[in-house]
Amino acid sequence: MTRVRAISVALTAAALSITTLAAATQASAAGVNYVALGDSYSAGVGSGSYTSESGSCSRSTNAYPYLWKNAHAPTSFKFVACSGATTNDVLANQISSLSSTTTLVSITIGGNDAGFASTMQTCVLNSESSCLSAVNTAKSYATNTLPGKLSNLYAQIKAKAPNAHVVVLGYPHLYQVPGNCLVGISDTKRTAINSAADTLDSVISKQVSAAGFTFKDVRSAFSTHEICGSSTQWLNSTTLPISDSYHPNSTGQANGYLPQFSAGV
């Protein structure tokens, strides 16, 4: 075989290998019917590129469900997560997207039930004592009331999609403490807010385990990338529009949430 022909054969083989690998990657999700439920963290609020059809739900093409869909080409994809959603909202407006043919479900939920938005508003605008009180109220709700709501929601998901693998993702710490921010809220407030995320994730994890679903903890993934972090920030601080504040940006969705979801699948 001449040297030129040998090179040509080698290049052809390499091209075929790449084509085969790409086809295998695409085929890996063949037969997967994926439904993405949840709140603003699932919808991708804060990451921009919102779809026109989603309206006030602010579903983003940068959100982890959409990124996973683009990478794996499932047989079907329903993206119904919505900004501001609570467990009751998922039951009322999203769970109807599930069926016995659904094979994969993702969801992040519970933060709005516990009053995430109002707690953040209190901590940013009011005194330290007001912030700590609001955080303690949220943690009390998460500990005492949220478990029952999550248990009921997970049972309904299982009933509607009995053949689905369900991946539940938690919430990151919002702040690195101590961090490199010279202005903004105090470290005391930041620590309290992070402790609320810890409580929320602990509650969610226990209920996910009881339901037989898969829980993926994103806190370690976001470590050093929080607000005031020492590395590139994957979360928005106070920004415009205000609704984008304290949510993962596009990098947080792609490098924080997406790998954790993919690992859970």
Side-chain angles (χ1 to χ4, degrees):
M1 183 183 294
T2 66
R3 182 171 181 274
V4 171
R5 187 181 177 192
I7 292 173
S8 176
V9 170
L11 289 174
T12 301
L16 287 172
S17 295
I18 292 171
T19 302
T20 301
L21 178 61
T25 301
Q26 289 291 314
S28 67
V32 173
N33 297 308
Y34 173 30
V35 180
L37 309 172
D39 60 17
S40 54
Y41 275 62
S42 296
V45 171
S47 62
S49 187
Y50 305 119
T51 63
S52 58
E53 55 77 27
S54 64
S56 60
C57 284
S58 299
R59 288 185 281 271
S60 171
T61 59
N62 293 321
Y64 74 83
Y66 208 96
L67 296 176
W68 192 91
K69 181 268 295 186
N70 286 345
H72 297 279
T75 298
S76 68
F77 174 62
K78 295 180 181 179
F79 190 15
V80 295
C82 189
S83 176
T86 63
T87 53
N88 287 343
D89 292 322
V90 174
L91 288 170
N93 305 315
Q94 299 181 25
I95 203 170
S96 59
S97 296
L98 302 177
S99 72
S100 59
T101 63
T102 303
T103 59
L104 179 63
V105 175
S106 65
I107 184 169
T108 301
I109 201 71
N112 291 315
D113 291 76
F116 167 79
S118 62
T119 298
M120 286 305 304
Q121 183 176 353
T122 298
C123 287
V124 171
L125 299 178
N126 297 315
S127 68
E128 203 165 84
S129 61
S130 295
C131 173
L132 297 181
S133 177
V135 167
N136 286 335
T137 298
K139 289 166 73 172
S140 177
Y141 183 96
T143 301
N144 298 309
T145 306
L146 187 59
K149 286 184 168 291
L150 291 175
S151 177
N152 177 54
L153 173 60
Y154 296 160
Q156 294 299 318
I157 289 174
K158 187 178 294 186
K160 289 283 290 184
N163 302 308
H165 175 61
V166 181
V167 182
V168 181
L169 295 101
Y171 296 91
H173 286 161
L174 291 183
Y175 294 97
Q176 180 173 310
V177 183
N180 59 13
C181 292
L182 300 178
V183 296
I185 64 176
S186 68
D187 278 353
T188 298
K189 288 183 177 181
R190 292 168 182 157
T191 300
I193 291 167
N194 285 349
S195 75
D198 290 334
T199 298
L200 195 57
D201 284 332
S202 176
V203 168
I204 293 171
S205 176
K206 289 178 182 177
Q207 294 305 314
V208 168
S209 178
F213 296 163
T214 297
F215 178 71
K216 298 305 295 182
D217 191 336
V218 300
R219 285 173 292 182
S220 61
F222 276 81
S223 179
T224 75
H225 297 286
E226 305 95 337
I227 300 168
C228 303
S230 56
S231 302
T232 304
Q233 292 185 15
W234 293 356
L235 291 146
N236 297 312
S237 185
T238 305
T239 188
L240 293 175
I242 290 296
S243 58
D244 283 2
S245 302
Y246 313 113
H247 287 85
N249 55 31
S250 58
T251 306
Q253 287 286 339
N255 293 351
Y257 270 93
L258 178 62
Q260 291 301 307
F261 174 57
S262 298
V265 175

